[in-house]
């Protein structure tokens, strides 16, 4: 079948939804693309992935290209640190306007994009709001800039919050080994529209999705 790149939103503080997905039967033999340091500095997450048969792949160019060349299903959280930083319990947010690398890789290797949204991810922790320019600048240097508060007795632990994981229709992509900026912009826009449509379909009467 068509190769699939599953794109999970929002990142949240600690990607609780992704950790739940890592334990599902559907994720067996899937490659999850993560920031390199997570493979060594987040042993609990690494252990969960191992239990579920999930392989962690560093987000470096050669690692991502290698995983995609093998032809298996891949999972990524495109918003990364930036999406974690802007997390709010009051509104759903995704950080996508300047995130286009995953689209380029999908085009190069013939992957379709599957938007996945985890409702309730932003309820696991409160997060200090404001100071965005400085905090997002820190993210650009791979420095997390979250200020979370979860359980009252251990703020870094998540609160109990129901998580609802939904996956939308695929954004079908051609294979373009050397995509132009116009190619990337075209399919990036289609993907952003697909994420917004998925959110509208399942969010009910809540606030509209904010795209940063």
């Amino acid at each position: 079948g068509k190769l699939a790149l599953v794109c999970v939103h929002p990142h949240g503080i600690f990607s609780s939804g992704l950790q739940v997905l890592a334990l599902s039967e559907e994720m067996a033999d899937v490659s999850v693309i993560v920031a390199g340091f997570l493979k060594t500095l987040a042993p609990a997450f690494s252990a969960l992935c191992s239990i579920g048969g999930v392989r962690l792949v560093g987000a470096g160019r050669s690692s991502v290209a290698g995983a995609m060349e093998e032809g298996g299903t891949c999972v990524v959280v495109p918003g990364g640190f930036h999406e974690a930083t802007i997390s709010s319990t009051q509104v759903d947010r995704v950080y996508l306007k300047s995130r286009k690398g995953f689209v380029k890789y999908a085009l190069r290797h013939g992957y379709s994009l599957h938007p996945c949204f985890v409702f309730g991810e932003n309820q696991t922790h409160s997060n200090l709001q404001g100071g965005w320019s400085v905090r997002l600048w820190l993210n650009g240097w791979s420095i997390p800039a979250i200020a979370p508060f979860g359980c009252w007795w251990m703020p870094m632990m998540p609160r109990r919050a129901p998580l609802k994981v939904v996956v939308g229709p695929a954004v079908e992509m051609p294979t373009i080994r050397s995509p132009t900026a116009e190619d990337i912009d075209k399919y990036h826009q289609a993907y952003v529209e697909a994420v917004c449509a998925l959110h509208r379909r399942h969010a009910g009467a809540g606030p509209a999705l904010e795209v940063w």
Side-chain angles (χ1 to χ4, degrees):
K2 181 71 175 179
L3 299 172
L5 177 60
V6 181
C7 305
V8 181
H9 305 276
H11 184 290
I13 300 301
F14 294 125
S15 293
S16 299
L18 181 58
Q19 295 180 54
V20 171
L21 285 172
L23 291 175
S24 67
E25 293 182 2
E26 291 80 3
M27 290 285 283
D29 300 321
V30 166
S31 297
V32 177
I33 300 166
V34 298
F37 78 91
L38 281 178
K39 298 178 67 176
T40 53
L41 298 183
F45 179 61
S46 297
L48 278 174
C49 289
S50 296
I51 291 170
V54 172
R55 180 176 64 148
L56 293 183
V57 175
R61 293 179 182 177
S62 60
S63 298
V64 174
M68 288 184 150
E69 286 290 349
E70 291 178 9
T73 297
C74 296
V75 178
V76 68
V77 185
F81 286 153
H82 295 72
E83 201 165 86
T85 295
I86 64 174
S87 180
S88 167
T89 57
Q90 302 303 308
V91 63
D92 288 324
R93 291 173 176 157
V94 294
Y95 192 90
L96 270 178
K97 288 183 178 178
S98 61
R99 290 297 170 98
K100 301 181 181 180
F102 70 102
V103 177
K104 179 167 67 174
Y105 279 109
L107 286 168
R108 282 179 175 172
H109 299 283
Y111 276 68
S112 58
L113 298 176
H114 296 252
C116 174
F117 205 94
V118 184
F119 289 92
E121 179 74 62
N122 62 340
Q123 301 302 312
T124 61
H125 294 81
S126 300
N127 181 44
L128 182 68
Q129 301 295 287
W132 303 124
S133 59
V134 172
R135 293 167 70 182
L136 294 174
W137 177 81
L138 289 171
N139 293 156
W141 292 92
S142 298
I143 301 172
I146 55 175
F149 190 93
C151 288
W152 66 269
W153 51 274
M154 189 177 290
M156 295 300 282
M157 290 288 290
R159 301 188 193 103
R160 291 176 64 87
L163 300 178
K164 176 184 176 182
V165 181
V166 297
V167 180
V171 177
E172 299 295 345
M173 312 273 279
T175 300
I176 305 176
R177 283 296 181 178
S178 298
T180 64
E182 290 76 16
D183 293 328
I184 295 168
D185 286 344
K186 173 183 175 180
Y187 288 101
H188 177 266
Q189 182 60 36
Y191 178 76
V192 172
E193 291 173 0
V195 173
C196 291
L198 178 64
H199 185 272
R200 284 194 303 270
R201 193 154 55 243
H202 294 277
L209 179 66
E210 290 186 7
V211 180
W212 286 47

